[in-house]
Amino acid sequence: MIGPMSMRGGIFLLVAVLAACNSSEQAPTTPAAAPAATSSEVTGIVPKNAIVTLLPASGAPPVPAEPAVLDQISKQFLPHTLLARVGQPVEFRNSEDMPHNVSVVRRESGKEVFNVGTEPHQKYVHTFDRVGEFDVTCDIHEGMEATVIVSRGPMTTIAGDDGRFSLPNVAFGSYTLSLTYSGQTVEQAIEVSGARTEVTLSR
């Protein structure tokens, strides 16, 4: 015969076991929130073929001490498009066993910047002092062509023939949008935020 105390003890034990079972079940998990965006795609329409550069509001970043390099290999300029900074040395190398030539012309005006020969495994160094697009050719070997884009900062692109440009992965913050076209440079302040920042050029 089970007494009242034994029955109460049995009930207490059953409740404890049920509680332990319930506690072993995993609580429903809440899906983790997606990380907040910290960068934006900056797009817009500006004068066609303009050089578009974003500069931090605090000013242009320091010019790299190391040179930008345009090499002559297998009768080609490599890379075909080189981005350099105003005030940064640019090395025009000849890594071949044959002589080459480097002719550099400012695209907008057609004015020759320099024209030099490069002997095998030698180099010529030039520092550009202004923003612009420069066409590079070799007078000795037809078809050797390249473009040097000189800008004030690393976040740079060229607007298309329709004037549209895009700069991806730009950190949120305050910037100066610098545009160089038709021999002039114009600037305006912009605020970068959200997944996409559309720029409207103020006239």
Side-chain angles (χ1 to χ4, degrees):
M1 181 176 180
I2 301 175
M5 293 297 294
S6 298
M7 185 175 293
R8 284 199 295 269
I11 293 173
F12 176 80
L13 179 61
L14 179 60
V15 171
V17 169
L18 289 174
C21 291
N22 289 336
S23 66
S24 66
E25 296 178 1
Q26 293 185 349
T29 56
T30 302
T38 59
S39 65
S40 177
E41 178 189 15
V42 178
T43 66
I45 297 178
V46 296
K48 69 177 184 177
N49 306 131
I51 299 175
V52 183
T53 302
L54 275 185
L55 300 170
S58 56
V63 175
E66 64 277 7
V69 176
L70 188 65
D71 210 344
Q72 293 167 304
I73 302 173
S74 301
K75 294 184 180 180
Q76 298 181 77
F77 284 105
L78 296 177
H80 296 297
T81 301
L82 177 72
L83 178 63
R85 299 277 299 282
V86 173
Q88 178 184 19
V90 179
E91 287 188 3
F92 295 86
R93 294 179 183 172
N94 178 0
S95 294
E96 297 204 79
D97 294 325
M98 65 178 72
H100 282 296
N101 161 268
V102 178
S103 172
V104 175
V105 173
R106 188 175 182 88
R107 179 172 296 179
E108 181 184 66
S109 64
K111 181 179 179 181
E112 184 177 85
V113 180
F114 64 85
N115 190 321
V116 298
T118 49
E119 294 302 314
H121 306 290
Q122 299 299 311
K123 65 184 178 182
Y124 178 77
V125 180
H126 179 80
T127 301
F128 292 90
D129 62 359
R130 65 187 66 184
V131 174
E133 277 189 274
F134 299 86
D135 294 319
V136 186
T137 57
C138 173
D139 294 339
I140 301 174
H141 301 102
E142 185 178 356
M144 286 185 64
E145 300 176 347
T147 301
V148 177
I149 300 170
V150 181
S151 70
R152 293 172 55 205
M155 287 189 290
T156 295
T157 190
I158 304 293
D161 289 338
D162 59 356
R164 181 157 288 281
F165 76 92
S166 174
L167 286 166
N169 303 319
V170 178
F172 292 169
S174 301
Y175 292 86
T176 298
L177 177 71
S178 178
L179 305 174
T180 300
Y181 61 97
S182 300
Q184 64 177 332
T185 296
V186 297
E187 296 182 341
Q188 72 179 48
I190 66 169
E191 195 69 27
V192 174
S193 61
R196 183 183 178 93
T197 302
E198 188 75 20
V199 172
T200 302
L201 181 62
S202 300
R203 297 284 184 176

